[in-house]
Amino acid sequence: MAEEITARLNAALAGRYVVERQVGRGGMATVFLATDVRHERRVAIKVLHPELAASMGSERFLREIRLAATLQHPHILGLYDSGDAGGLFFYVMPFVEGESLRDRLDREKQLSIDDALQIARESASALDYAHRQGVVHRDIKPENILLVDGHAIVADFGIARAVSVAGAEKLTETGMAVGTPTYMSPEQASGEQNIDGRSDTYALGCVLYEMLIGEPPFRGPNAMAILARHTLESVPSLQIVRNTVPDEVEDAVMRALAKAPADRFPTAGQLEKALLISSTTVSHRATERALRAQTATMRVKQRRLGVISAGVAFAVIAFGVFAFSRNRGTMLLSAGGRAPSHVAVLYFTDASADKSLGYLADGLTESLIAQLSRVEALDVRSAAASRAFRSDSITPDSVARALDVGTLVSGSVRPLPGDQLRVDMQMNDAGGATLGTKSVTVRRSGVLALRDSVARDVADLIRARIGKEVSLRSLQSGTSDPNAWILEQRAEQGRRRAQELARSGDTAAIRHEVATADSLARQAQSLDGAWGEPLALRGWLAYEQSRRFGVDGKRAAPFIALGL
């Protein structure tokens, strides 16, 4: 069958595309890898299943596809072309080198809270944009969320609508609803045609639930059973299964999964904002439940064991106090339950008098987190988690408790005479006790050597701490040009300032920071054209500028140059 369709496509699309082979098959279409002859690029051609194509009109389907092709957003996979190739309805999209969210979930089961929230936010951003253009996806599921360079890209936008609109009459006659039962909203499951963006929000809530828990909110032996559960049953609590899920995340998911559309977030953009939450946010309800359960268990044990148990407990406590006086650090880790291999790197401070080294302090911190995160022996908290604890007023033991880590790394950057820089590093345990210090000094021109030296010195401290080898590997993405690296860190600092200013609404200041950051990133790009970070940053800045201020003739150029 695949060979037959391949031959038919090659005959119908000769001179435009060369179809190579089938690479996938979904609920609505079969996917073929092909080459776009005119543009010399690899593409994916999706061909609707013949039985589905037979139920719809070509003209109407292609008109709806053209509407989907107008969508342009960083987290939406674009549409190049579409048509009718001898009765085969097809549409052409970029061929993405990466994996789908389904592939990752199949491999990892559950995602970290930070990763799940990022994927959900980026997908919600894509949905919000499409909804404002009048396009509802109708088939949000892990298979349609692609992961490219750590970011989410939503695919097949508008295809489900094109199918349902073009074949509305026959679909209604057969009672068929376009979508995937596991992620389908109650109103979509009932066959309603006039659904809106809140149906996509429901589906994304199902996807986020699965990313956090490891399975979707409702399962069943068949499609009808799953759809019935979506309509009738309450959504199980996330915190019962995973008590580290913050209260705000559970509330957002539950609201997205409300049975009635009116009870959900009015827009996907509001869901996106609701998910701007750190994974380190304390989950009070889950903690209270755990304490209640622990208290109930202790009461049962006390009733069973009586006075003898109390005597044994006293002996254990007495021994513990003795051990604590002999070895304070070991007792502290045992009592706190925080493993030394669980590490948080706090943002380094800028110790210069004029606070001109903030970009370098941040760059060293994030590079160190990236390198340590690749060490299998360590469980390192993300940069986003550390960013929430930049205040000097928060004590180390409070940070360790909030981040659930047994080792804290901190540092400072200061200038020295003779155009030199010095970085002082310190490692603390969960109680705030200092376990070791390191210092490194280099000339300003040696910032890349400084970055690598900081990583090695911290690795030495951690190795002594956990008693295991801490083998560092060089970062895959980087530059050998120190000036390019400095410019990129300064551009990144400007991007953060623009984000902070967004809360104040100071339009002029935001524009200035965005323009300055873009200029710095452009300079970094010119120094090292093979380095992808400046290009990615410029793309983000161009998108934010367009989103906040609109695009006029002058500002359209960066989008064209960046291929966005």
Side-chain angles (χ1 to χ4, degrees):
M1 183 67 176
E3 292 77 10
E4 178 187 343
I5 294 178
T6 300
R8 287 178 62 187
L9 283 174
N10 275 321
L13 302 176
R16 295 166 60 190
Y17 302 101
V18 175
V19 182
E20 298 177 19
R21 66 181 188 279
Q22 178 180 325
V23 293
R25 182 179 174 86
M28 290 192 294
T30 303
V31 189
F32 294 87
L33 174 63
T35 299
D36 180 341
V37 176
R38 179 181 299 175
H39 300 99
E40 296 183 351
R41 60 188 176 188
R42 303 180 89 194
V43 296
I45 297 182
K46 295 196 172 186
V47 180
L48 290 187
H49 297 329
E51 60 274 18
L52 191 59
S55 67
M56 64 185 67
S58 169
E59 207 171 301
R60 210 165 181 194
F61 171 76
L62 295 176
R63 185 165 63 247
E64 291 296 329
I65 285 288
R66 282 194 288 272
L67 177 61
T70 64
L71 300 179
Q72 300 292 325
H73 187 276
H75 297 296
I76 292 179
L77 187 66
L79 194 65
Y80 288 154
D81 193 6
S82 60
D84 178 353
L88 296 174
F89 294 179
F90 72 94
Y91 50 99
V92 183
M93 311 179 93
F95 182 79
V96 176
E97 295 284 357
E99 64 178 357
S100 70
L101 177 57
R102 167 58 61 215
D103 295 330
R104 184 169 176 186
L105 286 172
D106 287 345
R107 186 175 66 251
E108 299 181 19
K109 186 80 171 171
Q110 292 179 332
L111 304 190
S112 72
I113 294 175
D114 279 339
D115 284 355
L117 291 179
Q118 177 191 326
I119 291 169
R121 284 195 302 265
E122 291 176 346
S123 300
S125 175
L127 289 172
D128 186 56
Y129 166 82
H131 295 164
R132 286 185 277 112
Q133 313 308 311
V135 179
V136 180
H137 192 291
R138 294 175 177 243
D139 196 21
I140 290 294
K141 56 187 177 182
E143 288 82 352
N144 281 337
I145 299 176
L146 308 180
L147 303 178
V148 182
D149 293 333
H151 294 282
I153 297 180
V154 182
D156 282 1
F157 246 106
I159 305 306
R161 170 178 166 78
V163 170
S164 61
V165 169
E169 184 176 330
K170 291 194 177 181
L171 289 174
T172 303
E173 288 174 0
T174 60
M176 177 183 174
V178 176
T180 304
T182 305
Y183 310 95
M184 196 180 288
S185 68
E187 67 269 24
Q188 191 177 359
S190 68
E192 288 185 25
Q193 290 299 310
N194 296 320
I195 63 172
D196 59 26
R198 292 172 295 182
S199 183
D200 283 347
T201 301
Y202 183 95
L204 183 57
C206 292
V207 172
L208 177 53
Y209 189 104
E210 183 173 357
M211 287 192 284
L212 293 170
I213 300 305
E215 62 180 28
F218 300 115
R219 289 186 180 277
N222 54 54
M224 293 307 295
I226 297 171
L227 295 178
R229 296 190 68 191
H230 277 291
T231 304
L232 300 172
E233 293 187 14
S234 299
V235 180
S237 167
L238 289 88
Q239 292 179 346
I240 293 296
V241 179
R242 190 173 180 180
N243 64 10
T244 54
V245 174
D247 295 346
E248 293 84 352
V249 174
E250 179 166 74
D251 291 344
V253 172
M254 292 303 176
R255 185 175 178 186
L257 294 177
K259 304 300 182 190
D263 293 332
R264 299 175 203 146
F265 292 96
T267 68
Q270 287 178 293
L271 171 59
E272 179 189 6
K273 290 178 182 177
L275 296 177
L276 288 169
I277 302 164
S278 169
S279 64
T280 59
T281 302
V282 178
S283 181
H284 297 289
R285 288 195 298 263
T287 302
E288 290 167 1
R289 277 197 289 266
L291 287 173
R292 285 198 299 270
Q294 186 178 25
T295 301
T297 302
M298 289 177 66
R299 285 173 179 166
V300 171
K301 287 182 178 179
Q302 286 170 355
R303 286 197 295 269
R304 289 177 178 173
L305 297 178
V307 176
I308 295 176
S309 176
V312 173
F314 177 82
V316 171
I317 293 171
F319 177 79
V321 171
F322 174 75
F324 178 73
S325 65
R326 294 289 301 274
N327 191 343
R328 183 176 183 276
T330 302
M331 185 61 186
L332 177 63
L333 286 170
S334 177
R338 289 181 284 275
S341 60
H342 290 197
V343 180
V345 180
L346 302 183
Y347 269 78
F348 287 17
T349 58
D350 175 5
S352 63
D354 59 357
K355 300 300 177 186
S356 61
L357 296 178
Y359 72 90
L360 182 57
D362 287 358
L364 290 173
T365 304
E366 291 169 3
S367 177
L368 178 57
I369 291 173
Q371 287 189 280
L372 293 179
S373 296
R374 302 175 66 202
V375 177
E376 291 184 2
L378 303 179
D379 184 352
V380 182
R381 298 299 176 260
S382 68
S386 295
R387 203 172 295 130
F389 296 93
R390 300 190 74 154
S391 172
D392 295 335
S393 62
I394 305 176
T395 59
D397 61 320
S398 297
V399 176
R401 187 164 53 251
L403 294 179
D404 190 26
V405 296
T407 302
L408 289 167
V409 177
S410 57
S412 62
V413 184
R414 70 181 69 249
L416 294 178
D419 198 35
Q420 291 188 316
L421 296 167
R422 171 172 165 163
V423 177
D424 296 307
M425 295 154 282
Q426 181 172 300
M427 189 169 69
N428 296 80
D429 65 13
T434 301
L435 300 172
T437 60
K438 290 271 189 177
S439 295
V440 59
T441 301
V442 300
R443 300 188 67 83
R444 285 179 184 260
S445 59
V447 289
L448 295 183
L450 176 64
R451 179 193 64 185
D452 296 339
S453 181
V454 164
R456 286 194 299 271
D457 287 348
V458 169
D460 288 342
L461 289 173
I462 294 175
R463 183 183 298 113
R465 166 77 162 147
I466 68 174
K468 293 182 180 179
E469 182 64 24
V470 179
S471 300
L472 295 177
R473 292 176 290 170
S474 60
L475 292 175
Q476 291 179 343
S477 60
T479 178
S480 58
D481 189 317
N483 293 323
W485 191 81
I486 289 174
L487 287 166
E488 170 67 11
Q489 305 316 310
R490 290 173 58 196
E492 181 63 26
Q493 184 184 45
R495 182 190 70 82
R496 288 202 194 92
R497 281 198 295 261
Q499 281 187 306
E500 292 168 2
L501 286 167
R503 302 187 187 97
S504 69
D506 188 341
T507 302
I510 296 172
R511 285 179 182 271
H512 172 74
E513 291 294 349
V514 169
T516 302
D518 182 69
S519 175
L520 291 167
R522 185 170 61 250
Q523 294 176 58
Q525 187 180 351
S526 67
L527 290 176
D528 188 346
W531 188 27
E533 291 295 329
L535 182 63
L537 177 55
R538 293 194 67 205
W540 187 93
L541 291 167
Y543 165 63
E544 280 297 299
Q545 182 166 289
S546 169
R547 186 170 68 88
R548 294 185 184 280
F549 309 122
V551 181
D552 57 28
K554 293 181 180 178
R555 283 195 296 272
F559 288 86
I560 296 170
L562 293 167
L564 297 177

